[in-house]
Amino acid sequence: MIVAERKPLAEILDMVKECKKILVLACRGCVTVCSAGGEREAEILASLLRLGLKKNGRRAEVIEGSLVRQCDKEYIDAIDQWQGRYDAILSTACGVGVNFIANLRPADHVYPALNTTFLGGSAEQGVWREQCAGCGNCILHLTGGLCPVARCAKSLMNGPCGGSVNGRCEINQEVDCVWQMIYDRMGRLGRLEEMRIASPIRDWSASGHGGPRKQTRGDLTL
Amino acid sequence: MNFTPDIRLFSCHYTSQQSCTEAGNELQQLGFPENIRICRVPCTGKLQEITLLKAFEDGADGVYVVGCPADACHNIKGSQRAAKRVAAVKQALVELAVEPERVAMYHLDRGLHPEFINIAREMNERIRRLGPSPF
Ligand code: SF4
Ligand code: SF4
């Protein structure tokens, strides 16, 4: 899922300081699962906004709403139900959701309540870890299922680097060296021989360095 | 300053059970401040952050929660959860540049003990010193 976290309140309050009617818009997709921007978090944020704006001597009406997702046109259209009740939308979706609102609602002011942090999963309750960087050319079949693009600080294709010590990354003793993990795992799986093959220099054009990416499935288009 | 704070207490059923005996005036007799409104909940673990924030929205100058001892909660982890929610609200108050002491968590043995009265007075005194809520 896409993992995100709430921006500092001061930053959010500054964004909406001139707004008189704010719709705090939750997303019931990824950000609900990572407890950053679902209905519960939007309700809390709306309350904090009311308190913060009042403290700063601003008068604004803050209402809450939610969409199934904010990354699909059909759901964005449902914003019509709050027409006239807001002069700005504070979205608690990931950046995709905010972009979708901006793409599809030319007259609406939209602001991000979250920092979208990474593609990851819940490692344990209350802890999320980055697992994939959406590089567009997956190599997990070569690395035993562990991603060096997202999980190696240098995104090395032939690791580990000389900074790997006792299974830890040189950037931080708390961070596992994913290349050590890859070697250990490939060894356990009896695939260590494959590690002798050096990966060629990688073409990163699929990873976004070639501009914004788009994909089309002819069998699905109307 | 002549200021009587509006204080809301969320207390678990077990910790405050004797505060709601039939006659209901035992607390006053023991000197429990009259400006503290008690909201009894089945377990403090059920309290959400939003409940505490709404109390501030509703005009509270201070909000506190009294639940079971952290390692002896009737519902095992209820009061530990409550303490985390209180901590989250404290953090939010810091972000809003409001005194975090306006919200507090206390862990007390079950039943009505002098400590229940003492912390009520302590909270009352603290909020009186801080003055009216900036919200
Ligand atoms: S808008 Fe973002 S958070 Fe919401 S469902 Fe879509 S991708 Fe997930
Ligand atoms: S190799 Fe690329 S697509 Fe595969 S997990 Fe890593 S970042 Fe994601």
Side-chain angles (χ1 to χ4, degrees), chain A residues 122-149:
Chain A
S122 175
E124 57 191 90
Q125 176 135 349
V127 179
W128 292 268
R129 288 188 192 279
E130 182 168 20
Q131 306 290 298
C132 168
C135 75
N137 187 7
C138 193
I139 53 144
L140 292 181
H141 54 301
L142 304 175
T143 58
L146 302 171
C147 176
V149 180

Side-chain angles (χ1 to χ4, degrees), chain B residues 12-29:
Chain B
C12 99
H13 166 75
Y14 300 98
T15 312
S16 64
Q17 57 192 211
Q18 288 168 37
S19 62
C20 41
T21 46
E22 294 307 304
N25 48 17
E26 193 185 356
L27 275 181
Q28 277 89 328
Q29 286 162 7

Side-chain angles (χ1 to χ4, degrees), chain B residues 25-134:
Chain B
N25 48 17
E26 193 185 356
L27 275 181
Q28 277 89 328
Q29 286 162 7
L30 291 169
F32 188 88
E34 287 184 8
N35 52 313
I36 299 184
R37 272 190 259 175
I38 302 182
C39 175
R40 211 155 53 96
V41 290
C43 172
T44 53
K46 184 76 187 78
L47 279 174
Q48 303 286 334
E49 250 176 277
I50 190 67
T51 315
L52 308 175
L53 292 174
K54 291 268 186 199
F56 282 110
E57 280 200 63
D58 192 42
D61 300 299
V63 178
Y64 73 109
V65 178
V66 179
C68 299
D71 56 355
C73 176
H74 180 83
N75 293 312
I76 305 174
K77 283 193 157 189
S79 62
Q80 290 178 31
R81 288 190 215 285
K84 290 192 171 188
R85 312 238 156 93
V86 167
V89 172
K90 240 182 213 306
Q91 182 53 40
L93 292 184
V94 170
E95 280 196 70
L96 292 172
V98 170
E99 306 90 342
E101 308 89 287
R102 287 189 186 273
V103 65
M105 175 79 207
Y106 292 93
H107 296 276
L108 284 188
D109 284 328
R110 289 175 219 158
L112 185 58
H113 300 282
E115 219 17 47
F116 189 76
I117 310 293
N118 291 345
I119 60 168
R121 289 198 180 135
E122 180 185 308
M123 191 70 192
N124 196 25
E125 193 38 51
R126 181 185 312 148
I127 303 299
R128 197 185 294 278
R129 253 197 338 266
L130 290 175
S133 152

